[in-house]
Amino acid sequence: MRLTKLWQNRSPGDRHLGTYFCFAAVRLLLVFVPQLGYVHPDEFFQSVEVMTGDHFRLEHTRTWEFNNSLPVRSIVLPFALLRIPWSFYEFVAECMKVWWQLELLGTYAYVVFPRLIYTVISFSNDYCLFRICRLYGLRFEIRLLALGSSWILLVFGTRTFSNSLEMAMCSWLLCLVSDCMLRTNTVVYKKEFLEEKYDKAESISERVRIWKLKNSLPAHNLQHLMAMSTICVAGVFNRPTFLLFGAPMVFFWLLRGMGTRSITFRDFNLRIALFCLCALPALVFFIFCDSLYYQHLTLGELHMMHLSIDNFVFTPWNFIKANLDSAQTASHGVHPCYVHLMVNMPMLFNVLALASLGAFAQLLLRFFRAEYQVLPRFQSIVSLMSGAIFVPLFFLSLINHQEPRFLLPVTFPLILLHAPKLITGFSAKYPFQKDHPLLRLFYDKLLSTKASGPYLLKIWYVSNVALTLFFGFIHQAGVYPLAADISHVIATKPAATHVHLITSHIYSLPLHLINIPSSRVLHFNRQTHQRYRRPRDFYMYEYGGLPLDSLLQKVKLISGSCEVKQSGPSRRRYKLYLAIPASLSADLHEALVHSNASSYLNFELLKVFYPHLSTEAFPRLQGRHPCDVDAPHWAHDDLRGTCAAEQLPAFSFAYLNKQFSSFVHQLGLALYEIDVTRNKPRYVSLAHSGFSPSKGFSLLIVQFLICLALCIAAAQAGFIASPVTTYAAAPAYAASYAAPVAYSAPVATYAAAAPAYSTYAAAAPAYSTYAAAAPAYSTYAAAAPAYTASVYSAPAYTAPVTTYAAGAAYAAPVTTYSAPAIVSPFLKKK
């Protein structure tokens, strides 16, 4: 009972702090769930894809940002945050595999482990916020609650974005600058106070005491100098846009204490010079590491000292040059200048964005009205945080490519300034100078604590939870399960089988998640201690938002190429898959029917990964039915009018239920397997040719006999003359080839042509092997009596026969070429 009373009577600050710890636990839990949502391809392709692929020698995609000729991404921070931890993780995974047979390397590990590192880094934002609040005596409970419950920390803070690192480094820089400003203001105030006391002191002993107190004051002029300069260099190499966020913070650090008797322009210039000097070690280190990684600088050149300016890579400058190219930025998307202010700020910070914009507009209004006495002091924490918000916001709005994640570093100063308004409302007191009735009504109905205080925190909770669910678990959420499924397909496929994956209307698939050993590097076999290169067996084709008609043309080309390789000498088998949003299934079927490819392309739906929402293919809100998701399985091509959901709406519960079911079923990523329907070979019937072979004969023997019979028939019909002259030269045919009346002309022709082919008679020994090895042709010799002497009695053949009668050695071989009886039916038909 006592604990219950203590829990119920706890202060509002304690309640807010307890809720913050719950959200902190949720942030950590969301790493291991994991979040399936795919916010942006840069989450993988700017760091994890390259580092994981390089370390584990996996197939991966190196984007244009990592091109060796003009690299725009520094490799130092990804290497330090991912490549080195991967080495320790790999060692632990090997130990677990040897001792407990646990496999810790796979698609899940490739997603979770990098996110865990970045999530730990994200908690530095919480610490910096807590530290600044304690330094300046601010309420940290509601500020920590607003930061911990923000979907920016729950989604972006747990992802491997370079913007998340930029936000953490800006938070650290703000913390250091705030600490320096507070210490400088305190020390300068005490110093000036002691100087005044020293001047007014009358005794020497009192002056000595004051002088000792003055000298005991801590140093403040160059506080945190090395740490700040290193953070600035690392931030610029991480993302050159850090210049826009860090410039106002560094300016406030340089300007602290100015306007007093203790701080002059000499101190200002000294701070600038020492800041630049302290930044040189980090600058040289980053340039040296990038030059080595991108192979502009080699160890041999360092040893020989053959160095020039071309051996060094300065990635921030390459980044700036690439983004100054309007065509380059246009390829990523062109946005109007007001998108950051009107769209991205409200989407990221919802009610706090309205509060910050309203407060800044009030400051500008007072400044232009010359109401300087009500403006915050320039060297105050309010001015520092306001400059950290609106200076980068202004310059980023001048860039034609604007994404919400570019504003992540604004989160920390905005929450520090305006998070208490979630409880107090937009304005705890009347903010206007004039007491106008309309202004008073506007304040009472909207801005006051009574009007807006009870609702702002609830709106904050609802909007952040909704955005966390959308971007964390729905938006492009089928890509990760697709990668895991394709990884299983490749691991279980038959040997010497290629896998082809076609994707459309989804984000790029990170190849390292499929866990395929790279075919571009040498691998080491620990058993044979040999190096080998693995052949490539996975191919991926990404077509973005390509229209479905054009997509089918690509499918035809790819399937045709695969069929050619399968029917070629290599006999390369393959599997072809297509992954598209389920909302496009019916459109795919219609395009398939219109392209006349449905006769030989069979699309079989393997599975649908839920949930998945592609804004490039948003589900239809009306006119769809769940049965239409798997449209290629329908027997009829015309599906109009077949579903009740496609009829005129009756606005009944059943109709609304079908429409809702239709919409939900479209929130998926469909995976199809494409098969090519092959025509079966036609077997030739041989009944008409006079043959009746047994069923045990193979098709090859039958075709050979058919070709042999056709060749002999053509020879006897006069298409091939050489065999006839051989028959005329043979002694065995002297009596049989007596020319009949009907064939007198052809026989005379053969007789005249006989001398020209006398070489064949002289070359008859070459055919002796055929005579010995041709017992199958003995049937033709037995059938020779069909050519009786009364048929071909022609004196023209007496001389050639007597010429060849002397060649007794050739009598036996030539007799094997007796006229076949099977030729006579073809000749009669002809």
Side-chain angles (χ1 to χ4, degrees):
M1 293 294 294
R2 186 176 181 182
L3 291 176
T4 305
K5 280 187 175 181
L6 289 175
W7 177 258
Q8 293 176 351
N9 297 330
R10 69 190 190 278
S11 64
D14 294 336
R15 289 199 298 268
H16 296 154
L17 196 60
T19 309
Y20 160 74
F21 283 118
C22 292
F23 277 107
V26 169
R27 191 194 316 177
L28 196 61
L29 181 64
L30 289 178
V31 178
F32 297 97
V33 171
Q35 298 182 45
L36 301 181
Y38 193 174
V39 181
H40 195 276
D42 287 350
E43 173 188 351
F44 296 101
F45 292 98
Q46 286 187 354
S47 57
V48 183
E49 175 83 354
V50 177
M51 290 295 98
T52 307
D54 285 345
H55 182 78
F56 293 102
R57 296 177 177 269
L58 301 176
E59 290 284 0
H60 61 279
T61 303
R62 298 183 69 90
T63 59
W64 64 274
E65 297 171 316
F66 293 92
N67 186 7
N68 284 2
S69 60
L70 189 68
V72 301
R73 292 290 172 190
S74 175
I75 207 65
V76 177
L77 288 180
F79 193 94
L81 296 176
L82 296 175
R83 189 73 180 268
I84 296 177
W86 270 132
S87 301
F88 291 99
Y89 183 88
E90 186 180 19
F91 174 76
V92 174
E94 290 293 335
C95 294
M96 298 294 289
K97 186 176 181 180
V98 172
W99 294 340
W100 290 286
Q101 287 74 44
L102 294 177
E103 184 60 53
L104 298 182
L105 291 176
T107 303
Y108 178 80
Y110 296 150
V111 171
V112 171
F113 185 70
R115 289 183 178 179
L116 180 62
I117 296 173
Y118 277 65
T119 302
V120 173
I121 295 175
S122 73
F123 280 99
S124 63
N125 299 286
D126 306 56
Y127 171 76
C128 294
L129 183 65
F130 171 77
R131 179 171 174 79
I132 292 178
C133 291
R134 292 301 298 268
L135 286 174
Y136 285 86
L138 304 176
R139 292 181 56 188
F140 60 86
E141 296 90 355
I142 184 59
R143 290 176 170 87
L144 284 177
L145 175 61
L147 183 65
S149 61
S150 171
W151 76 280
I152 298 173
L153 267 294
L154 295 175
V155 176
F156 286 101
T158 58
R159 304 301 181 95
T160 53
F161 284 103
S162 60
N163 309 90
S164 302
L165 289 180
E166 188 178 32
M167 177 173 63
M169 285 187 282
C170 284
S171 300
W172 275 106
L173 190 59
L174 273 174
C175 182
L176 296 178
V177 171
S178 302
D179 188 15
C180 291
M181 289 176 59
L182 181 63
R183 176 172 292 190
T184 298
N185 293 337
T186 303
V187 171
V188 169
Y189 173 78
K190 290 181 178 180
K191 185 177 180 181
E192 292 184 350
F193 175 78
L194 291 175
E195 287 178 352
E196 291 180 1
K197 289 292 185 181
Y198 182 85
D199 295 336
K200 295 179 180 179
E202 297 179 355
S203 63
I204 297 178
S205 59
E206 186 177 0
R207 287 192 175 189
V208 170
R209 183 176 60 85
I210 295 174
W211 182 80
K212 289 181 178 180
L213 289 175
K214 178 182 174 183
N215 289 338
S216 64
L217 292 175
H220 66 90
N221 204 22
L222 304 177
Q223 187 186 9
H224 301 314
L225 180 61
M226 182 61 72
M228 289 180 53
S229 59
T230 304
I231 290 175
C232 289
V233 172
V236 171
F237 274 84
N238 175 60
R239 286 189 64 86
T241 53
F242 187 86
L243 287 169
L244 303 178
F245 294 99
M249 305 176 195
V250 174
F251 179 74
F252 272 86
W253 181 83
L254 295 173
L255 204 65
R256 57 198 166 89
M258 293 291 294
T260 62
R261 293 179 298 177
S262 303
I263 307 298
T264 62
F265 276 103
R266 177 177 171 274
D267 299 282
F268 183 82
N269 297 330
L270 179 63
R271 291 170 183 175
I272 294 178
L274 292 179
F275 185 89
C276 296
L277 287 176
C278 292
L280 283 180
L283 182 66
V284 172
F285 177 75
F286 275 81
I287 293 177
F288 180 75
C289 293
D290 289 339
S291 302
L292 283 178
Y293 180 81
Y294 291 113
Q295 300 177 358
H296 285 234
L297 183 66
T298 62
L299 295 178
E301 291 173 335
L302 282 175
H303 180 71
M304 300 299 295
M305 294 303 293
H306 292 166
L307 303 177
S308 65
I309 191 64
D310 296 330
N311 291 114
F312 299 99
V313 175
F314 190 56
T315 53
W317 174 243
N318 295 338
F319 181 93
I320 294 173
K321 286 195 300 183
N323 284 274
L324 288 178
D325 185 5
S326 58
Q328 178 72 21
T329 55
S331 62
H332 301 288
V334 178
H335 307 96
C337 60
Y338 56 82
V339 169
H340 273 324
L341 185 65
M342 305 299 294
V343 179
N344 295 336
M345 285 283 288
M347 185 173 70
L348 289 173
F349 311 110
N350 52 81
V351 292
L352 290 187
L354 300 179
S356 64
L357 294 176
F360 187 70
Q362 185 181 19
L363 290 178
L364 290 180
L365 184 63
R366 290 176 178 177
F367 177 79
F368 288 116
R369 287 184 175 181
E371 299 174 357
Y372 305 118
Q373 68 278 4
V374 294
L375 289 175
R377 195 168 61 89
F378 185 77
Q379 298 182 20
S380 65
I381 189 68
V382 176
S383 299
L384 172 63
M385 297 301 166
S386 299
I389 296 173
F390 293 101
V391 171
L393 179 63
F394 172 77
F395 286 103
L396 287 175
S397 299
L398 302 179
I399 303 175
N400 59 358
H401 180 63
Q402 302 177 16
E403 297 181 23
R405 60 191 178 95
F406 294 166
L407 299 179
L408 291 188
V410 173
T411 305
F412 184 90
L414 188 142
I415 287 180
L416 183 67
L417 281 184
H418 303 288
K421 295 179 181 179
L422 294 175
I423 300 176
T424 62
F426 286 114
S427 181
K429 59 181 181 179
Y430 187 75
F432 306 107
Q433 294 293 322
K434 296 181 180 180
D435 192 4
H436 193 275
L438 293 179
L439 295 178
R440 174 63 65 176
L441 180 65
F442 179 69
Y443 171 74
D444 293 337
K445 298 297 183 181
L446 184 62
L447 302 181
S448 65
T449 302
K450 183 178 179 181
S452 58
Y455 306 104
L456 291 186
L457 187 59
K458 298 177 182 178
I459 296 174
W460 174 263
Y461 281 153
V462 171
S463 59
N464 281 281
V465 169
L467 289 171
T468 300
L469 292 176
F470 177 75
F471 286 102
F473 297 95
I474 298 177
H475 183 257
Q476 298 281 344
V479 175
Y480 169 74
L482 173 65
D485 189 78
I486 295 298
S487 176
H488 176 73
V489 168
I490 294 178
T492 58
K493 71 178 179 65
T497 301
H498 286 182
V499 177
H500 300 261
L501 175 63
I502 304 172
T503 63
S504 179
H505 294 82
I506 64 173
Y507 282 170
S508 298
L509 180 66
L511 282 180
H512 78 278
L513 297 182
I514 306 179
N515 197 15
I516 310 172
S518 177
S519 60
R520 295 175 291 183
V521 298
L522 291 176
H523 300 270
F524 180 74
N525 191 331
R526 297 182 178 179
Q527 297 178 353
T528 62
H529 301 284
Q530 294 180 349
R531 295 189 178 274
Y532 65 96
R533 191 179 298 274
R534 187 180 183 275
R536 185 181 181 185
D537 58 358
F538 177 74
Y539 300 86
M540 186 168 64
Y541 314 89
E542 297 178 333
Y543 293 113
L546 192 69
L548 292 182
D549 295 336
S550 303
L551 178 63
L552 280 181
Q553 297 298 325
K554 300 293 185 181
V555 172
K556 293 178 185 178
L557 292 175
I558 296 171
S559 60
S561 175
C562 294
E563 285 292 316
V564 170
K565 293 180 180 179
Q566 184 173 6
S567 60
S570 60
R571 298 290 180 182
R572 186 70 63 186
R573 292 172 295 178
Y574 73 95
K575 291 184 177 181
L576 182 59
Y577 298 93
L578 172 66
I580 60 171
S583 57
L584 296 178
S585 294
D587 300 330
L588 175 65
H589 177 64
E590 294 178 4
L592 185 64
V593 172
H594 293 161
S595 64
N596 297 324
S598 57
S599 59
Y600 62 91
L601 288 181
N602 179 34
F603 287 70
E604 180 182 359
L605 181 65
L606 297 182
K607 57 183 66 177
V608 181
F609 303 103
Y610 293 106
H612 177 91
L613 176 63
S614 295
T615 54
E616 296 83 0
F618 201 82
R620 299 178 184 176
L621 299 178
Q622 186 178 4
R624 292 294 304 273
H625 191 268
C627 64
D628 202 20
V629 171
D630 190 12
H633 283 193
W634 278 79
H636 303 287
D637 293 338
D638 187 9
L639 302 179
R640 296 188 179 277
T642 57
C643 298
E646 296 178 355
Q647 306 299 326
L648 294 177
F651 295 104
S652 61
F653 176 77
Y655 173 78
L656 295 178
N657 188 25
K658 288 180 179 180
Q659 291 295 337
F660 177 75
S661 177
S662 168
F663 183 83
V664 170
H665 277 76
Q666 295 178 72
L667 297 177
L669 180 63
L671 179 63
Y672 292 92
E673 183 174 4
I674 304 175
D675 294 327
V676 178
T677 305
R678 301 175 181 87
N679 295 326
K680 296 182 179 181
R682 298 180 180 179
Y683 292 91
V684 182
S685 178
L686 304 177
H688 66 279
S689 61
F691 289 101
S692 58
S694 62
K695 296 182 179 180
F697 276 37
S698 65
L699 181 61
L700 182 62
I701 301 301
V702 174
Q703 291 177 349
F704 172 73
L705 293 178
I706 293 173
C707 294
L708 181 63
L710 292 177
C711 290
I712 296 174
Q716 295 297 327
F719 294 102
I720 304 177
S722 56
V724 178
T725 58
T726 306
Y727 301 150
Y733 293 98
S736 59
Y737 276 86
V741 177
Y743 292 93
S744 57
V747 171
T749 305
Y750 300 151
Y757 292 91
S758 60
T759 55
Y760 287 90
Y767 294 97
S768 60
T769 55
Y770 292 97
Y777 293 97
S778 60
T779 53
Y780 301 141
Y787 297 93
T788 58
S790 60
V791 180
Y792 292 102
S793 57
Y797 285 93
T798 56
V801 171
T802 56
T803 304
Y804 292 99
Y810 298 99
V814 177
T815 54
T816 58
Y817 291 94
S818 303
I822 195 172
V823 179
S824 57
F826 286 93
L827 293 176
K828 289 179 182 179
K829 289 181 181 180
K830 186 170 180 66

